[in-house]
């Protein structure tokens, strides 16, 4: 997604020597060396972007948490930031769907977040355990059939993507038949426009707008026990206006599967490339939650948060003074590999969480995989539960599973928002 209205002031001496192109497949595959070089300059650095703008990237762990909780960094995008140009259906659709709570500050954010909290309350999430187990087992049966028929399968298409889509469909009442189109549209709007064919992003915004408009109309005609039905009722009673309802629908569906898909795909890939850790988890089932936590740290499914801008000059310490008006990205993937906070940060070692991880996660998360502060992900408990159920079942069902491609050459999703492998080809 294109960086919004970053400052165009001249490059300072502290900036890296080359511009950053989020659409570069090599950067998408392995951004960590770039982030390490940024961190050497301090916990925050001013970065030149390939589109000719500049933005501040916050890469230090403590400074990232500070930014996420500091109201001086606003989540409300500057007008026109990242929007299609001109007055077009795509521009109007994007402007409406982008009114979700991640792009708001208090008090609007507080009101919108309250409406979703009940859907992801611990009791309601934990009640999904049996259904998640059933859905997982059904998908693994399909994976087994693909392996037997074709000699191989892609764990992203056959496992990591469909499971969270099915689960969020249970929560939100989204028809299963729509999942392929939703995946395509949300992938496009979350990717840099220059990484896709011309017009692909605009078409996705207009398609999403039309889809959610019809879905909400259907829920009003035939309400059910799902969250969409409850939200449409709230809209008719004054809880949400129509635009906010559309934006909430987009956010919950996008966030409800995208991060969990990346978590499952990255964890599967890490375990297949770290056989000792896989063996340890198989021998000690209590280690699986630690595998989930270490994946969240080592391969953050959210590479960066939504863009923020400083409403005043902010001193983050260690020489990082962010000027008012600057675009700011809190880079979770970099913060979670800050060597000042994590020993041996580039190593995948679930043992570092073996004593405090549970299926609900550590009491105090040692990483920032789901953000921090008022915008902390409301669905983090559900994502952890899905992974803690699905991963041990996957590797129990296929004990001889192995990769059929060089992991260093696997494609990753471009952009600075979400991160995960696009394919994990395997055979058994």
């Amino acid at each position: 997604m294109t960086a919004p209205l970053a400052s165009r002031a001249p490059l300072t001496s502290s900036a890296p020597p080359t511009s950053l192109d989020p659409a570069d497949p090599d950067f998408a595959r392995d951004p960590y060396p770039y982030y390490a070089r940024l961190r050497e300059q301090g916990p925050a650095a001013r970065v030149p972007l390939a589109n000719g703008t500049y933005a501040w990237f916050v890469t230090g762990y403590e400074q990232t948490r500070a930014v996420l909780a500091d109201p001086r960094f606003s989540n409300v995008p500057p007008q026109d930031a990242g929007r299609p140009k001109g007055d077009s259906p795509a521009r109007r659709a994007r402007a409406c769907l982008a009114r979700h709570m991640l792009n708001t500050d208090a008090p609007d954010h507080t009101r919108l977040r309250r409406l979703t909290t009940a859907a992801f309350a611990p009791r309601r999430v934990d009640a999904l355990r049996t259904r998640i187990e059933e859905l997982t087992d059904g998908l693994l049966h399909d994976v087994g059939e693909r392996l037997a028929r074709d000699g191989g399968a892609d764990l992203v298409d056959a496992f990591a993507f469909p499971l969270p889509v099915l689960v969020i469909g249970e929560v939100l009442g989204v028809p299963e038949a729509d999942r392929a189109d939703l995946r395509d549209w949300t992938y496009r709007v979350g990717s840099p426009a220059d990484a896709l064919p011309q017009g692909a992003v605009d078409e996705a915004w207009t398609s999403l707008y039309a889809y959610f408009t019809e879905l909400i109309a259907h829920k009003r005609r035939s309400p059910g026990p799902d969250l969409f039905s409850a939200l449409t009722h709230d809209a008719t009673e004054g809880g949400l206006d129509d635009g906010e309802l559309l934006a909430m629908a987009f956010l919950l569906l996008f966030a409800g599967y995208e991060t969990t898909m990346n978590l499952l795909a990255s964890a599967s890939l890490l375990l297949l490339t770290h056989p000792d850790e896989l063996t340890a988890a198989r021998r000690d089932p209590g280690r699986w939650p630690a595998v989930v936590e270490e994946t969240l740290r080592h391969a953050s499914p959210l590479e960066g948060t939504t863009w923020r801008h400083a409403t005043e000059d902010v001193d983050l310490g260690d020489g990082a003074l962010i000027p008012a008006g600057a675009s700011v990205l809190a880079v979770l993937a970099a913060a979670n590999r800050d060597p000042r906070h994590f020993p041996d940060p580039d190593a995948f070692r679930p043992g570092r969480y073996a004593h405090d991880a549970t299926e609900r996660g550590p009491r105090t998360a040692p990483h920032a995989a789901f953000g921090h502060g008022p915008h902390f992900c409301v669905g983090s408990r559900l994502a952890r539960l899905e992974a803690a159920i699905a991963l041990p079942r996957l590797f129990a069902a296929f004990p001889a599973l192995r990769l059929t491609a060089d992991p260093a050459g696997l494609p990753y999703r471009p952009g600075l928002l979400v991160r995960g492998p696009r394919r994990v080809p395997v055979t058994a």
Side-chain angles (χ1 to χ4, degrees):
M1 193 172 292
T2 304
L5 291 183
S7 168
R8 290 181 180 270
L11 181 63
T12 65
S13 59
S14 63
T18 58
S19 63
L20 170 61
D21 180 6
D24 180 0
D26 290 332
F27 172 80
R29 188 178 300 111
D30 186 13
Y32 300 105
Y34 185 89
Y35 294 145
R37 292 195 299 271
L38 284 184
R39 199 184 299 109
E40 291 173 356
Q41 303 169 32
R46 189 164 171 269
V47 176
L49 301 176
N51 63 2
T53 65
Y54 295 85
W56 283 83
F57 280 33
V58 183
T59 57
Y61 177 84
E62 296 297 340
Q63 291 75 16
T64 294
R65 288 176 64 88
V67 166
L68 297 180
D70 193 329
R72 294 175 295 177
F73 293 97
S74 173
N75 278 60
V76 179
Q79 188 176 8
D80 295 334
R83 288 164 170 74
K85 303 303 181 184
D87 185 17
S88 65
R91 178 186 174 88
R92 294 192 292 271
R94 197 272 182 200
C96 179
L97 297 179
R99 290 176 59 196
H100 55 71
M101 62 183 177
L102 292 187
N103 287 336
T104 60
D105 298 329
D108 287 341
H109 173 265
T110 306
R111 174 176 60 88
L112 295 171
R113 185 181 177 94
R114 187 182 302 119
L115 292 169
T116 64
T117 300
F120 296 98
R123 181 182 301 177
R124 185 164 185 172
V125 169
D126 294 345
L128 290 169
R129 170 182 291 277
T130 299
R131 185 58 178 147
I132 294 173
E133 291 172 345
E134 293 171 351
L135 293 171
T136 300
D137 291 342
L139 288 174
L140 292 178
H141 175 77
D142 294 342
V143 172
E145 288 188 338
R146 292 194 191 194
L147 290 169
R149 181 184 67 245
D150 305 328
D154 177 7
L155 288 183
V156 176
D157 278 335
F159 177 69
F161 164 66
L163 178 60
V165 167
L166 290 171
V167 172
I168 204 64
E170 295 279 324
V171 175
L172 303 179
V174 177
E176 182 179 345
D178 298 337
R179 67 189 189 185
D181 285 339
L182 286 170
R183 181 194 189 187
D184 177 51
W185 296 330
T186 54
Y187 176 85
R188 284 192 256 163
V189 301
S191 300
D194 51 1
L196 300 171
Q198 185 175 4
V201 175
D202 286 6
E203 181 191 8
W205 281 118
T206 55
S207 297
L208 283 167
Y209 181 87
Y211 175 81
F212 289 128
T213 299
E214 175 55 34
L215 180 65
I216 292 168
H218 172 73
K219 295 297 182 182
R220 283 177 171 154
R221 294 191 302 266
S222 304
D226 55 87
L227 178 60
F228 271 169
S229 295
L231 289 175
T232 56
H233 175 76
D234 285 342
T236 59
E237 297 297 324
L240 291 170
D241 63 37
D242 285 351
E244 289 174 333
L245 185 59
L246 284 165
M248 185 73 77
F250 165 69
L251 174 64
L252 292 177
L253 279 173
F254 180 79
Y257 84 82
E258 185 80 23
T259 53
T260 308
M261 175 183 70
N262 292 330
L263 169 59
L264 292 172
S266 294
S268 300
L269 181 59
L270 284 168
L271 289 169
L272 289 168
T273 54
H274 294 77
D276 291 346
E277 296 294 350
L278 177 56
T279 299
R282 280 173 165 156
R283 289 175 176 171
D284 178 11
R287 196 178 176 92
W288 282 107
V291 169
V292 175
E293 293 307 315
E294 178 67 342
T295 302
L296 289 170
R297 183 202 69 82
H298 184 274
S300 300
L302 282 174
E303 185 166 351
T305 61
T306 51
W307 287 91
R308 288 162 163 79
H309 67 275
T311 59
E312 60 183 81
D313 292 351
V314 181
D315 188 353
L316 294 179
D318 292 337
L321 178 63
I322 298 181
S327 292
V328 179
L329 183 69
V331 188
L332 303 182
N336 288 335
R337 293 201 185 191
D338 186 343
R340 294 173 297 182
H341 193 81
F342 300 99
D344 197 11
D346 293 325
F348 177 67
R349 292 196 295 106
R352 70 177 85 219
Y353 302 122
H355 300 296
D356 61 4
T358 68
E359 287 186 2
R360 298 180 179 89
R363 184 172 300 173
T364 301
H367 48 66
F370 290 106
H372 178 63
H375 289 274
F376 182 80
C377 177
V378 296
S380 61
R381 186 186 188 93
L382 179 59
R384 283 186 167 105
L385 181 63
E386 289 181 54
I389 290 172
L391 290 170
R393 275 175 149 74
L394 169 67
F395 287 100
F398 307 107
L401 207 63
R402 63 180 178 84
L403 281 172
T404 58
D406 180 1
L410 292 177
Y412 275 70
R413 176 169 184 156
L416 296 168
L417 178 58
V418 291
R419 183 174 188 274
R422 295 176 62 182
R423 294 191 303 110
V424 180
V426 295
T427 185

